[in-house]
Amino acid sequence: MTFDAARYTAQLQDKVTRLRDLLAPFDAPQPQVFDSPLQNFRLRAEFRLWREGGERHYAMFSQDDKRTPILIEEFPIASLRINQLMPQLKAAWQASAALSHKLFQVEFLTTLAGDAMITLCYHRPLDEHWHAAANQLAADLNVSIIGRSKGKRDVIGHDYVVEKLDVGGRTFSYRQPEGAFTQPNGTVNQKMLNWAYEALGDRPDDLLELYCGNGNFTLPLATRVRKVLATEISKTSVNAALSNLDENAVDNVTLVRLSAEELTEALNEVRPFRRLHGIDLKSYEFGSVFVDPPRAGMDPDTCELTRRFDNILYISCNPETLAANIAQLHDTHRITQCALFDQFPWTHHMESGVLLTRR
């Protein structure tokens, strides 16, 4: 891959045009554009291993051909830390049968703060020889190691990495667990958090957050409001979010493990939920809702729920479903701010954000 700045600028402009065209029916303002580094922006990477010439190599496959491997020695879009670790790990498994035997996949997770974790996946149980070799490897590389085999997970060090992001003049610390979703482009994520922080502004009322994940947005947005009710369905993400709230001394957030659809039912008093025991939903004075849904966007009922709020702050990884949701809300809310975040340079994918306010 060649990292031509002019080609990147042209691709980014194509994304701006696409987003602008999708939001044109709603009289959206010109989007703020937040670009990405051209290389070394991706904080995680996953490789299959492929045997050739008597050795195992890092390999990936194109979407069009799942049978022919692309052998990789370096991965320039990945972080400098991943590119540093790749040859060191390869040398280690080449020198150790305990590490290489039936090893079929490798995953790297790194942070802007310099933390790193490597997950090694095997088609065999992990024995004492593997543990001895993996402990030495973790010490040599200064990383945490996760060993995965059928139905088992062995952790050397931590099963998470720690990220530190500066938002609104404060540094927030994030625990990012192995196997859980995290934003892949840390530099653009930090820009995205700051945009959301500024877009919400200081408010005297409460915030409802749907799809909160590990608290990526929750932590800085909680400093802008009286209190937050946040929901997330993934147990791993909920546990990470609770740890992150505690680590950052953010004490005005109540987190419940409910899907957006379930919370909609609870707020509509369709049925009670045991997980809401002790939480007085009527005590909240919600002025704003923050949503960061999956690619499918919000379902119609959840979208209808957001209509109740004066302000809807919406982060989207799919501009088509974003536009579809805005179409449902356009009669009561208008777009007052719009942004494009180039989380995924060199691809057609984009992250975008809008602030909708009541007409």
Side-chain angles (χ1 to χ4, degrees):
M1 175 181 282
T2 58
F3 296 100
D4 179 74
R7 188 163 68 94
Y8 173 76
T9 300
Q11 288 183 348
L12 182 56
Q13 185 54 50
D14 287 344
K15 295 180 184 182
V16 173
T17 301
R18 179 174 159 224
L19 180 63
R20 197 169 52 211
D21 290 348
L22 282 166
L23 300 186
F26 315 113
D27 300 316
Q30 286 292 316
Q32 291 179 260
V33 180
F34 297 90
D35 63 357
S36 170
L38 273 62
Q39 61 186 55
N40 302 126
F41 53 82
R42 189 172 177 85
L43 294 177
R44 62 175 192 248
E46 178 182 306
F47 303 100
R48 296 300 294 258
L49 298 193
W50 190 266
R51 273 189 173 278
E52 191 165 291
E55 292 185 2
R56 281 182 174 84
H57 302 272
Y58 296 107
M60 300 183 85
F61 297 84
S62 73
Q63 290 196 339
D64 301 328
D65 183 357
K66 300 295 186 183
R67 294 179 176 273
T68 306
I70 303 167
L71 303 187
I72 294 170
E73 294 299 323
E74 58 181 6
F75 197 43
I77 66 170
S79 68
L80 291 171
R81 186 84 166 103
I82 290 175
N83 280 280
Q84 174 194 45
L85 289 168
M86 286 174 66
Q88 296 174 330
L89 177 61
K90 185 175 183 178
W93 81 55
Q94 286 176 333
S96 169
L99 289 174
S100 64
H101 183 50
K102 294 195 175 181
L103 174 66
F104 72 92
Q105 183 167 300
V106 173
E107 300 165 12
F108 295 92
L109 180 60
T110 61
T111 68
L112 296 175
D115 206 358
M117 176 169 58
I118 299 173
T119 301
L120 305 174
C121 303
Y122 292 87
H123 286 311
R124 68 173 176 95
L126 302 179
D127 57 19
E128 66 274 11
H129 301 293
W130 179 87
H131 280 90
N135 271 286
Q136 186 61 55
L137 178 65
D140 291 344
L141 301 186
N142 190 28
V143 299
S144 292
I145 298 285
I146 309 291
R148 284 194 171 273
S149 57
K150 187 176 181 180
K152 282 206 66 180
R153 186 180 75 143
D154 295 83
V155 179
I156 297 169
H158 299 292
D159 64 350
Y160 59 85
V161 291
V162 174
E163 181 63 286
K164 295 186 181 296
L165 299 172
D166 296 326
V167 186
R170 175 176 170 180
T171 300
F172 292 91
S173 177
Y174 292 89
R175 182 178 294 194
Q176 300 180 340
E178 187 251 354
F181 174 79
T182 54
Q183 296 287 348
N185 189 325
T187 302
V188 176
N189 182 39
Q190 189 164 256
K191 294 178 180 181
M192 191 164 62
L193 291 173
N194 276 283
W195 177 85
Y197 177 89
E198 293 297 333
L200 181 63
D202 280 322
R203 299 196 51 84
D205 47 21
D206 303 329
L207 174 70
L208 175 65
E209 181 182 4
L210 310 179
Y211 324 96
C212 78
N214 72 343
N216 185 48
F217 286 93
T218 318
L219 300 182
L221 294 186
T223 68
R224 299 295 249 174
V225 297
R226 192 176 67 124
K227 58 182 179 176
V228 180
L229 178 66
T231 71
E232 170 59 48
I233 193 61
S234 162
K235 189 176 291 187
T236 301
S237 294
V238 166
N239 289 337
L242 290 171
S243 174
N244 291 334
L245 291 167
D246 183 61
E247 173 69 22
N248 291 274
V250 175
D251 59 5
N252 63 336
V253 176
T254 299
L255 180 60
V256 291
R257 193 166 70 83
L258 291 173
S259 69
E261 294 82 0
E262 288 171 331
L263 184 71
T264 299
E265 291 184 340
L267 290 172
N268 288 336
E269 299 183 350
V270 173
R271 64 188 179 105
F273 288 87
R274 188 178 303 168
R275 282 165 282 174
L276 285 169
H277 179 71
I279 299 172
D280 181 8
L281 293 179
K282 295 186 186 306
S283 72
Y284 286 87
E285 298 174 10
F286 293 119
S288 306
V289 59
F290 175 79
V291 296
D292 182 10
R295 287 189 59 79
M298 292 188 287
D299 67 275
D301 287 343
T302 303
C303 196
E304 199 60 30
L305 170 70
T306 65
R307 191 193 298 277
R308 300 181 187 181
F309 304 93
D310 289 341
N311 304 292
I312 305 167
L313 190 54
Y314 190 144
I315 296 291
S316 169
C317 59
N318 184 342
E320 277 80 15
T321 55
L322 171 66
N325 285 158
I326 293 173
Q328 183 175 339
L329 297 165
H330 186 54
D331 59 331
T332 55
H333 288 72
R334 62 188 180 91
I335 302 174
T336 54
Q337 292 190 48
C338 176
L340 187 153
F341 311 99
D342 198 20
Q343 279 269 8
F344 311 100
W346 312 113
T347 77
H348 72 280
H349 296 292
M350 72 173 92
E351 201 97 359
S352 53
V354 294
L355 175 65
L356 297 132
T357 57
R358 189 177 301 282
R359 292 184 181 277

